[in-house]
Amino acid sequence: MMNKKFTVLLSLLLAATLTIPTFAGTTTMASKANNKLDTVGQYTVVVDDKDTGVEVPVMVPLRKMAKATGMKVTKKGKQVRLDTGEMHADFTIGKDEYSLTTSIKGADGATGPFSLGSAPYVVKKTIYVPMSLFWIIEGNDSSVLSIDGQKINFSTKSEDQTQIPNPFVEYETLSDAEKAAGFAFKVPEQINGYKQSYISVMDGKMQQVVYEKGESQITLRKMAGTDDISGVYIDYAKKDQVTIDGHQTELRGDGTRVYVAVWNNGGYTYAIYADAGVTAAQMTSIVENMQ
């Protein structure tokens, strides 16, 4: 059964489709905040104190917004997924077409393709998306997103729904994370120019260390058990079973680059996700330096 937020979202989504007219010319223009429900996350352009009817979307850096709101980003080529844990949005860079699907196992529910009036784009390796994408994935609630002067207010707790706590708790050091999770986690200090960005523990059970280089990330995970904890649900074209340090490891990629590695060892399950992909040799090296 779909939860309340997803049911409401499905019924409102098409009504929330946004289109942005193109404006041109050299007339001096100003913008004013517009927080009406049907134009959430946009500004209205005003020329000489007259409303032009032109709506300009607010574009935000995807990964920084995802990190701030506790959402997960996965990327394969130009295909991108933004996941709250309850639902996920899929879209393609350069294409104003989005879709939404429940992430809850055993639940069914998905929207058809819809427009937000602006296609995602990349500037200096940073992906930008319409702010309204975050509003929609949080349930189309008018209390989630508003613009007040120079301030954009975004809330992950809407008026009609209890906020779902972020299961990840961030720690300053790996030693602190190990104490919280109750087991050791050996990882490299840096990976191929990627530097450790943040360390966290999910639900007191899974350790996670994230490395960043520009907009690209490599995520390392460890937890007791044998489940696949990669959190990546992309069906990669190539899956190779290889032996690394005496344990069987599955490498997933496109035949050119490897994006995911998963394996079990000593009662623990491990996972690596490199959103920009790495060579098979580089992925093997990362696996060898984890324990």
Side-chain angles (χ1 to χ4, degrees):
M1 179 180 295
M2 289 182 289
N3 62 15
K4 178 181 178 183
K5 180 166 75 174
F6 196 78
T7 302
V8 172
L9 186 148
L10 288 175
S11 65
L12 293 179
L13 188 55
L14 292 181
T17 299
L18 307 174
T19 57
I20 312 300
T22 302
F23 59 87
T26 58
T27 306
T28 301
M29 294 180 291
S31 65
K32 66 179 181 180
N34 189 333
N35 61 1
K36 294 186 296 182
L37 184 61
D38 61 346
T39 54
V40 170
Q42 299 192 88
Y43 282 88
T44 297
V45 176
V46 176
V47 178
D48 297 332
D49 296 324
K50 294 181 180 179
D51 193 331
T52 65
V54 174
E55 301 293 341
V56 182
V58 176
M59 303 296 287
V60 295
L62 175 63
R63 291 193 185 280
K64 287 186 178 180
M65 273 296 300
K67 181 179 178 181
T69 55
M71 301 183 194
K72 180 180 177 64
V73 176
T74 54
K75 181 176 177 291
K76 180 183 179 184
K78 291 186 176 182
Q79 307 298 314
V80 186
R81 174 170 291 183
L82 176 65
D83 199 333
T84 70
E86 280 192 312
M87 60 190 70
H88 57 265
D90 290 308
F91 53 92
T92 302
I93 293 173
K95 191 173 183 180
D96 182 17
E97 185 174 290
Y98 306 79
S99 65
L100 205 64
T101 307
T102 178
S103 297
I104 300 173
K105 292 184 178 179
D108 294 319
T111 68
F114 59 89
S115 167
L116 290 178
S118 184
Y121 58 82
V122 178
V123 176
K124 295 183 178 179
K125 299 183 179 180
T126 298
I127 302 172
Y128 288 86
V129 298
M131 184 73 180
S132 52
L133 176 62
F134 287 86
W135 168 66
I136 284 178
I137 203 170
E138 282 291 343
N140 278 356
D141 191 293
S142 59
S143 66
V144 168
L145 177 63
S146 63
I147 300 175
D148 180 13
Q150 297 299 309
K151 183 182 291 186
I152 298 175
N153 302 300
F154 185 85
S155 173
T156 56
K157 183 177 181 180
S158 63
E159 292 178 348
D160 65 350
Q161 150 187 357
T162 302
Q163 183 177 18
I164 298 174
N166 187 344
F168 287 93
V169 176
E170 191 168 344
Y171 292 91
E172 289 292 327
T173 67
L174 186 59
S175 177
D176 291 338
E178 290 175 331
K179 291 177 183 177
F183 58 85
F185 190 18
K186 176 188 173 184
V187 297
E189 288 191 9
Q190 63 177 12
I191 302 172
N192 303 325
Y194 288 74
K195 296 182 179 180
Q196 281 190 17
S197 174
Y198 51 95
I199 300 165
S200 60
V201 176
M202 186 189 79
D203 292 335
K205 299 177 181 179
M206 184 183 77
Q207 291 193 60
Q208 173 176 277
V209 181
V210 177
Y211 301 74
E212 293 184 333
K213 183 171 68 173
E215 280 293 296
S216 298
Q217 293 184 333
I218 296 178
T219 302
L220 278 50
R221 290 179 168 183
K222 178 181 179 180
M223 186 175 77
T226 59
D227 292 338
D228 180 349
I229 58 172
S230 66
V232 181
Y233 306 105
I234 297 171
D235 186 18
Y236 291 99
K238 190 172 178 58
K239 299 177 182 178
D240 293 323
Q241 301 292 332
V242 299
T243 300
I244 303 176
D245 272 356
H247 45 265
Q248 189 176 48
T249 304
E250 182 172 271
L251 303 182
R252 305 170 187 166
D254 57 12
T256 301
R257 301 185 72 76
V258 178
Y259 295 88
V260 178
V262 293
W263 72 98
N264 299 317
N265 185 33
Y268 291 93
T269 181
Y270 297 79
I272 301 170
Y273 172 55
D275 61 7
V278 295
T279 66
Q282 289 171 331
M283 185 64 82
T284 297
S285 178
I286 301 171
V287 172
E288 291 174 339
N289 283 280
M290 288 176 61
Q291 187 176 329

